């Protein structure tokens, strides 16, 4: 008796959850990564505060607020909310501003730059998110009509 052989199954079609189908989904994933890093930073600051005294309580509140805003923005970007897009652009600009201030202080006071991970998470990631959210195709997904289209009289 010969063993039963089965033909290989064709691969399952990709789903929206498995592969991002637009640049907005890529931004959402980047925001989720950034939110996860913010949650981890909040836990780290809380543990440091528990052992060194809670004089760093404002830092705990700020990192927790950053995590909440980032994760809320990720949800809003998934839903194509204009408000979430604006908040994301504002938050990423704020992160980038303070990262550049931190970089300048590190260069002038310590005579060295930031390490690789802070550079990527606080400078490169916000720039990538901001540039992607400002692309015309992404703006169209949020229902924002570029000025050149309205100037030509097209709807």
């Amino acid at each position: 008796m010969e063993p039963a052989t089965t033909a290989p199954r064709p691969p399952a079609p990709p789903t929206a959850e498995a592969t991002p189908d637009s640049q907005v989904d890529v931004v959402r994933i980047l925001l989720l990564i950034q939110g996860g890093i913010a949650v981890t930073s909040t836990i780290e600051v809380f543990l440091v505060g528990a052992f060194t005294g809670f004089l760093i309580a404002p830092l705990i509140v700020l990192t927790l607020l950053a995590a909440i805003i980032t994760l809320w923005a990720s949800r809003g970007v998934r839903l194509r909310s204009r408000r979430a897009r604006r908040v994301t652009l504002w938050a990423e600009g704020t992160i980038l501003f303070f990262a550049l201030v931190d970089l300048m202080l590190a260069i002038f006071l310590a005579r060295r730059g930031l390490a690789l991970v802070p550079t990527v998470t606080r400078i490169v990631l916000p720039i990538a998110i901001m540039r992607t959210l400002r692309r015309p195709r992404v703006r169209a997904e949020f229902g924002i009509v570029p000025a050149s289209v309205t100037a030509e009289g097209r709807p």
Side-chain angles (χ1 to χ4, degrees):
M1 184 171 196
E2 292 183 30
T5 59
T6 58
R9 297 170 68 185
T15 61
E17 293 84 20
T19 58
D21 59 352
S22 74
Q23 293 175 349
V24 175
D25 292 327
V26 173
V27 169
R28 179 177 162 257
I29 291 168
L30 292 175
L31 285 171
L32 285 173
I33 291 170
Q34 201 173 29
I37 292 169
V39 168
T40 305
S41 296
T42 303
I43 294 169
E44 177 187 11
V45 170
F46 179 76
L47 291 176
V48 168
F51 290 110
T52 61
F54 282 99
L55 293 176
I56 59 171
L59 187 57
I60 295 171
V61 172
L62 288 175
T63 55
L64 181 62
L65 185 64
I68 290 169
I69 288 173
T70 305
L71 293 174
W72 174 84
S74 172
R75 180 182 172 273
V77 165
R78 179 180 57 92
L79 298 173
R80 309 306 195 260
S81 166
R82 288 184 189 180
R83 178 183 296 161
R85 180 183 171 276
R86 282 192 307 265
V87 168
T88 301
L89 287 171
W90 175 83
E92 297 302 321
T94 304
I95 290 169
L96 185 60
F97 172 76
F98 283 109
L100 292 176
V101 168
D102 193 21
L103 177 64
M104 291 298 120
L105 288 173
I107 289 173
F108 290 122
L109 296 178
R111 304 278 189 240
R112 64 181 183 95
L114 297 175
L116 179 63
V117 173
T119 302
V120 170
T121 58
R122 295 175 55 202
I123 296 176
V124 176
L125 195 59
I127 289 173
I129 290 171
M130 290 170 66
R131 285 188 53 126
T132 305
L133 284 176
R134 289 186 173 158
R135 291 185 176 164
R137 182 181 301 161
V138 173
R139 292 178 63 158
E141 286 191 47
F142 284 92
I144 300 170
V145 180
S148 62
V149 173
T150 57
E152 294 173 4
R154 296 181 194 154

